[in-house]
Amino acid sequence: MSFKYFLDMAPEDPVIDSSSLTKFRQLRLKEAGMKINTVIGDAAYSEKANIEYTKEEKIALVAKLNPILTQGPRKEEDKFEFNKDAGMFVCKAGHLATRKARTGKKGTSKSQSQTYYFNIEKCRVCPMRGGCYKVGAKSKTYSVTIKSDTHAEQEAFQNTETFKQLAVNRYKIEAKNSELKNGHGYDKASTAGLFGMEIQGATTIFAVNLKRILKLLNEND
């Protein structure tokens, strides 16, 4: 028998963020004797710490990476071309970057970037500077996100049929959230203060989970 438990709606968490997956593991999973093999969530759950944790615990994390990591933040017409021979990017006007450097801190949840620097003097008089060069700027750079091994592995999993088949169950989570809000008054706080919100959350989630358990029990009879 299985039933839906709200991974990111633990009543003692006054603020829910993407790190609640690891909080949940530390405070509840092992104590409750629950064994989890798959976690399905939105992109907020695909932060690096969660990917590393689920890999360590042999849990399938069905959460898409931020599109900036997989597709880049730019529109196609705003992208520069990469010159393989020079190992540098070339702007739309044909100017080659003069140098490159890796930016961003190591060992954090944010990916580092490879930043390419262009000759600002050329940018100031470039006929294609509109929308590219900002008047008064002291430098012109073009950055590309460097995928960590962790993100690269998650992206590879994201492109598999297994991931796609599991991801279709995402709608069930939204349906349950809708049930909480529309069927049980969880769309707004019934009392003032965090304690009141914790009690409301605990009782509402308990009631919905209990209904689910009873339904499954009746189906098995």
Side-chain angles (χ1 to χ4, degrees):
M1 182 181 73
S2 64
F3 62 95
K4 193 175 296 297
Y5 187 91
F6 292 92
L7 192 62
D8 62 345
M9 290 185 178
E12 60 266 44
D13 289 338
V15 178
I16 302 303
D17 57 29
S18 57
S19 65
S20 59
L21 177 56
T22 47
K23 287 180 186 175
F24 183 84
R25 178 265 310 215
Q26 294 167 352
L27 299 177
R28 305 172 193 89
L29 276 183
K30 292 182 179 178
E31 294 177 5
M34 295 175 65
K35 181 172 178 57
I36 305 297
N37 53 35
T38 305
V39 171
I40 302 176
D42 56 25
Y45 283 90
S46 65
E47 69 165 24
K48 192 174 181 180
N50 286 343
I51 297 174
E52 291 173 342
Y53 159 63
T54 50
K55 181 180 179 181
E56 176 188 337
E57 296 293 322
K58 294 181 173 57
I59 296 173
L61 177 60
V62 184
K64 290 186 177 180
L65 291 171
N66 189 306
I68 289 179
L69 285 171
T70 56
Q71 302 172 16
R74 302 178 181 87
K75 297 179 181 178
E76 192 63 35
E77 59 268 24
D78 294 330
K79 292 181 179 179
F80 288 5
E81 292 185 4
F82 186 73
N83 186 305
K84 293 181 179 179
D85 295 330
M88 295 285 187
F89 271 93
V90 180
C91 74
K92 293 180 288 184
H95 300 140
L96 189 70
T98 57
R99 67 184 181 91
K100 61 183 178 181
R102 182 169 293 201
T103 56
K105 294 182 179 180
K106 292 182 178 180
T108 66
S109 60
K110 294 183 178 180
S111 297
Q112 290 184 293
S113 297
Q114 189 79 280
T115 301
Y116 297 81
Y117 296 82
F118 290 81
N119 187 329
I120 193 66
E121 297 300 330
K122 291 182 179 180
C123 295
R124 286 173 181 150
V125 297
C126 178
M128 301 179 68
R129 62 183 178 275
C132 180
Y133 166 73
K134 186 176 181 180
V135 178
K138 296 182 179 180
S139 64
K140 171 61 184 176
T141 61
Y142 186 87
S143 296
V144 179
T145 301
I146 300 173
K147 295 176 188 173
S148 65
D149 292 341
T150 300
H151 286 134
E153 290 178 9
Q154 181 66 12
E155 183 180 8
F157 174 51
Q158 182 175 312
N159 293 325
T160 64
E161 285 302 316
T162 299
F163 183 99
K164 294 173 183 177
Q165 290 173 8
L166 290 170
V168 299
N169 293 301
R170 169 78 182 141
Y171 79 92
K172 297 177 182 178
I173 300 172
E174 297 303 331
K176 191 60 67 172
N177 289 339
S178 177
E179 180 186 349
L180 279 170
K181 294 177 181 179
N182 300 319
H184 296 271
Y186 203 45
D187 56 335
K188 61 181 179 180
S190 59
T191 59
L194 287 177
F195 179 73
M197 292 176 66
E198 290 176 7
I199 295 299
Q200 182 185 358
T203 53
T204 304
I205 294 169
F206 176 79
V208 171
N209 279 338
L210 186 59
K211 285 173 60 179
R212 177 65 175 162
I213 295 171
L214 292 174
K215 181 180 179 180
L216 290 172
L217 288 173
N218 290 331
E219 289 177 354
N220 291 333
D221 288 344

